[in-house]
Amino acid sequence: MDGADHLGEPMRPWRARAGTAACMCLAALAALGTTEDAFAQERRQPRIIAPELFAPPPVDPSGLERTEPRAPLSELGQPAPEPGPVDTLYHQPIAIAAGLLQAEGRTIRIAGIRIISPDQVCDASSGAVWPCGKRARTAFRYWLRGRAVECHAQDPQENNAADQVAEMTMVCRLAGRDVGAWLVENGWALADADGPYPDKEKTARIAGKGIFGGGPSGL
């Protein structure tokens, strides 16, 4: 059966040539794939290009100097502020003297000032005297007008015991203004020597405000 197919016919030459060509094509494709893999492998390898131009120069650490940190770019980068004292709102305060008020069953002395008693009198420009203490209390009442004040204990350690104390020295604000500062700068209270308002008292004296004004005209 040599030289014949399974039907007994002689093998034709063109079939042999077709098989040989197919084998050559497969070999060429395999060689091409191997070459492409080699090119891809070469492209993946890093190439060193002029390292003397791109590499950072050597630095001597002994010549470095630490500088101050830069300021934060915004308030978000700043440390959280220290918690301040918690204010309590006192409704419908009544002035019993300039710098002394009662509200919600408590007597509150305004911190940083010396209160002028309502029965105190002052020398008038005419040589007489005038009831400067009553006038100071009246001015304070007109300014308060029953509006609520926000107050906290002068000593932060006293805040925890504030509810149990009937009378306290407190720092107060009315409509965003410091009550003690208002009294002193308008001449209706004297400033404590070690308090925050001596400069305001000096200004009120020079301007002749409040009790420093010589009293109403006609006295």
Side-chain angles (χ1 to χ4, degrees):
M1 298 297 290
D2 294 339
D5 59 10
H6 65 282
L7 296 179
E9 296 179 356
M11 184 177 293
R12 298 177 181 178
W14 66 269
R15 290 188 178 180
R17 288 196 297 271
T20 303
C23 292
M24 294 178 62
C25 289
L26 292 175
L29 289 175
L32 180 60
T34 303
T35 304
E36 290 181 352
D37 290 342
F39 288 157
Q41 183 70 21
E42 183 180 357
R43 286 197 298 268
R44 285 194 293 267
Q45 294 297 327
R47 293 187 300 168
I48 301 176
I49 302 175
E52 68 279 0
L53 298 179
F54 296 97
V59 177
D60 183 7
S62 61
L64 299 178
E65 181 179 355
R66 183 179 296 275
T67 61
E68 294 295 329
R70 64 171 178 78
L73 298 178
S74 69
E75 295 182 357
L76 297 177
Q78 297 179 356
E82 293 293 332
V86 178
D87 287 327
T88 300
L89 195 62
Y90 294 92
H91 298 274
Q92 297 181 341
I94 298 174
I96 56 179
L100 185 66
L101 53 87
Q102 290 180 337
E104 302 185 12
R106 167 168 293 169
T107 300
I108 299 174
R109 287 182 172 270
I110 302 301
I113 68 171
R114 289 183 289 158
I115 296 173
I116 300 172
S117 174
D119 58 2
Q120 182 172 334
V121 295
C122 299
D123 294 332
S125 301
S126 61
V129 294
W130 63 289
C132 57
K134 290 182 179 179
R135 185 61 63 87
R137 180 181 62 185
T138 300
F140 189 38
R141 285 179 175 174
Y142 282 161
W143 186 59
L144 282 177
R145 297 197 307 276
R147 294 178 291 172
V149 293
E150 295 177 315
C151 302
H152 62 266
Q154 183 180 20
D155 185 353
Q157 297 181 353
E158 298 179 0
N159 281 325
N160 295 331
D163 294 337
Q164 288 77 36
V165 181
E167 180 173 336
M168 291 191 68
T169 300
M170 308 186 83
V171 178
C172 298
R173 300 184 71 83
L174 174 64
R177 292 200 62 184
D178 186 327
V179 175
W182 184 89
L183 288 165
V184 175
E185 68 189 9
N186 285 283
W188 300 124
L190 301 174
D192 280 340
D194 56 350
Y197 310 125
D199 291 340
K200 295 184 181 298
E201 179 184 329
K202 182 178 180 180
T203 302
R205 286 180 180 274
I206 295 173
K209 291 184 176 182
I211 63 174
F212 310 116
S217 60
L219 292 178

